[in-house]
Amino acid sequence: MTELRWGILGAAKFAREHMAPAIHAARQSRLAMLATSDPAKAAAFTAMDSGLRVVDSYDAVLSDPEIDAVYIPLPNSMHVQWTRRALEAGKHVLCEKPIAMRADEIDALIDLRDRTGLVAAEAYMIVHHPQWAQVRTWVQDGAIGALRRVNATFTYDNSADPGNIRNALGTGGGSLPDIGVYTLGCARFVTGQEAERVLFADIRREEGVEVRAEAMVQFDGFTLTSFTSMRMLRYQSVTFQGTTGVIEVPVPFNPMGYGDAEVRLMRKAGPVEVFRYPGVNQYVQQVEAFGAAVRGEADYPCPLEFSRGTQTLMDMIWAAEG
């Protein structure tokens, strides 16, 4: 296979602004089909490529023999169902996060992936960005001594948009499902560790929907403090503090949108080390990594087992809610 032919299930804003352009820009990938019944939403996609085929049902994408892989940007509550159906239809699948609402739902997807031999993954894009590879190298090589604390914050305010699917229970809304995967998953990715227990969880809700979540989690040798909110000023930051140094990631999750990607290493002696990554598009890199996995050129950096670990930690936080 020289070119991976993609279909997208639904004309979501995120697909329009980030993933469709990334598929267009990625090497050996082509956006070939979009499923939407709304011509107005389709227009923005066809403007990128006049040859894009638009169909009015998701099943039309899954049944088309010219589509190799599908990207799923549907509401959270629909991710497991359509990932399963796509795999059963013989398509490789890249599904938006969270790929499931509970960790045990991912087990069946792992089994189906293994039975079909297809690539199925959650679109956890940050692991494809070189700033996170650098942070992981620093931490695991002992550049800051023994890691003692991780502080991860991700907030934004969508209170003026009550119709947003993130503000609805039925579509799997909440700040933890939407952005907690980043604050929780980044610590797991960098350290390679799994959480031991949740020490503290403070969940705030509006009409049943979790809109703010703060949790302190014990790992082996360090604690993670995760804070997410959909009711606060747009802000993101991650800090790794060790016995002999500190790593700062000022734009950890949305470089090129929130700010410029860079990582800083501060130690007892010597100047601050700063690595910058101008122009790196993590969505393009994600699509290219997925294509490499499909072609058998490399293992995918974020398998479903990793996603299950993050969802397990999220489930632990829900269970610890006071």
Side-chain angles (χ1 to χ4, degrees), residues 87-109:
L87 288 170
E88 290 172 344
K91 309 301 183 188
H92 303 282
V93 182
L94 182 63
C95 180
E96 263 310 317
K97 48 76 194 166
I99 198 167
M101 301 304 297
R102 300 189 316 274
D104 58 9
E105 294 179 315
I106 302 176
D107 293 335
L109 298 181

Side-chain angles (χ1 to χ4, degrees), residues 147-154 176 179-180 182-188 195 197-202 213-219 222-228 235 237-241 253 313 317:
L147 181 63
R148 291 292 181 249
R149 183 172 183 268
V150 180
N151 187 53
T153 300
F154 196 175
L176 267 178
I179 52 179
Y182 299 122
T183 58
L184 304 175
C186 71
R188 295 182 55 253
R197 63 187 184 278
V198 175
L199 303 173
F200 167 84
D202 180 22
E214 184 172 12
M216 179 174 286
V217 182
Q218 183 67 56
F219 287 76
F222 72 94
T223 56
L224 162 67
T225 299
S226 165
F227 185 86
T228 59
Y235 177 75
S237 176
V238 180
T239 302
F240 295 81
Q241 189 166 5
F253 310 126
L313 177 49
I317 293 172

